[in-house]
Amino acid sequence: MRERLSVVIAAKDPPAEQFLLCLTSFAALANAGKLQIVLVSSGTLPELPAALTSRFGLVKVVDVPAQGVYAAYNAGCEHVDGDYTLFFGADDIALPAMDTLIDSVLFKDDGYRLVAASCYMQATGVARPSRRRTGLIFANWCHQGLFYQTAWLKAHRYETRYRAQADHRMNIDIVSRRDSRVFISDLVVAYFSAGGVSSTVPDLAFRADFPRIVGDAYGRPWGWLVRAKQITIDLIKGPPEKRFQSIHRR
């Protein structure tokens, strides 16, 4: 088994201080030398100090056009070679507990399709993945705490029609399958910075598809339940297109 974890970081003209803080948080890990860092850039990256990049097993920069974060993640997947792959934004931070998860799980068993850990989410606190397979119907898991089996990612890419919740679709596809080995950890391994695409952009395409996605994954009654919930919310709060676009303009 290769002792390497791949980290794909998507960046679009990131502020230098913020970007270097993200990389430094990984460089501070005891396992930094076993990390493959893939930087997917759709703009200009700050200069990378040699003292920082030398901490990692491998650093690769991939230049792509600005076509959305999931297109960037898919491009990064072309270059990863670790047993597991983690996706980060340039404003997120790895926490020390990630070392514990790497040592106790990721480098000991490469047969999990997904290893899901907790994250500290700015403004809301700790978000923990549900231990129920149906939990993803009600709330997605924080992307920065999810370590995907690279072999799965190579065969299943993010749906780029979705602007902010393609990872939610990916998570349901994995967790709902009975043949998927999934490991759930309470360790808080990352800090998620609110204000990015997933926090500010409504994903109306995903919302429209969500009842079908849930029905296909968990059974039609679950899909009907989701659709009934959406209809009830829309009756109370108004059409989603108008409601979400109003929020986005603020």
Side-chain angles (χ1 to χ4, degrees):
M1 179 172 67
R2 297 181 302 276
E3 285 197 343
R4 179 175 288 173
L5 167 66
S6 297
V7 182
V8 176
I9 302 175
K12 182 181 179 183
D13 299 319
E17 184 176 348
Q18 188 180 69
F19 177 65
L20 293 176
L21 178 60
C22 174
L23 283 179
T24 300
S25 70
F26 283 103
L29 297 177
N31 284 294
K34 297 176 182 178
L35 301 183
Q36 177 200 22
I37 305 295
V38 179
L39 303 174
V40 184
S41 172
S42 56
T44 302
L45 287 181
E47 183 177 351
L48 299 175
L52 179 59
T53 58
S54 65
R55 290 279 299 162
F56 302 114
L58 181 67
V59 176
K60 185 177 183 65
V61 178
V62 180
D63 292 311
V64 298
Q67 297 177 330
V69 67
Y70 294 111
Y73 287 156
N74 285 342
C77 283
E78 298 286 345
H79 301 274
V80 298
D81 63 7
D83 291 303
Y84 292 97
T85 298
L86 172 68
F87 296 97
F88 252 50
D91 54 354
D92 302 317
I93 299 172
L95 298 180
M98 192 176 290
D99 264 329
T100 303
L101 188 67
I102 290 172
D103 290 332
S104 62
V105 181
L106 299 176
F107 285 167
K108 289 198 171 185
D109 190 334
D110 61 0
Y112 292 108
R113 198 159 282 170
L114 178 65
V115 174
S118 303
C119 294
Y120 187 90
M121 303 185 72
Q122 184 182 7
T124 61
V126 175
R128 303 187 186 279
S130 171
R131 293 184 178 275
R132 296 170 54 226
R133 287 182 180 264
T134 54
L136 284 163
I137 297 173
F138 307 98
N140 193 18
W141 298 347
C142 185
H143 204 188
Q144 288 71 11
L146 304 182
F147 302 79
Y148 296 93
Q149 187 181 54
T150 299
W152 172 270
L153 289 175
K154 294 285 189 182
H156 304 81
R157 298 304 170 88
Y158 288 109
E159 174 54 75
T160 56
R161 288 194 307 108
Y162 302 139
R163 301 175 67 189
Q165 289 184 269
D167 56 295
H168 197 171
R169 168 67 185 271
M170 175 81 77
N171 299 338
I172 288 174
D173 287 347
I174 293 173
V175 174
S176 65
R177 294 173 60 104
R178 290 294 175 181
D179 63 345
S180 291
R181 291 184 66 214
V182 177
F183 185 93
I184 305 295
S185 172
D186 287 329
L187 290 170
V188 182
V189 301
Y191 173 88
F192 169 75
S193 177
V197 170
S198 62
S199 302
T200 60
V201 176
D203 198 332
L204 296 177
F206 178 82
R207 188 181 192 273
D209 291 349
F210 193 42
R212 175 184 56 79
I213 292 170
V214 169
D216 290 346
Y218 296 102
R220 288 184 180 179
W222 285 109
W224 296 335
L225 176 63
V226 169
R227 183 58 188 142
K229 180 180 177 182
Q230 288 180 341
I231 291 172
T232 301
I233 291 173
D234 293 346
L235 286 172
I236 296 171
K237 297 185 177 182
E241 294 82 2
K242 184 177 181 180
R243 185 170 78 247
F244 291 159
Q245 287 173 7
S246 174
I247 292 171
H248 185 49
R249 282 195 298 268
R250 292 176 187 170

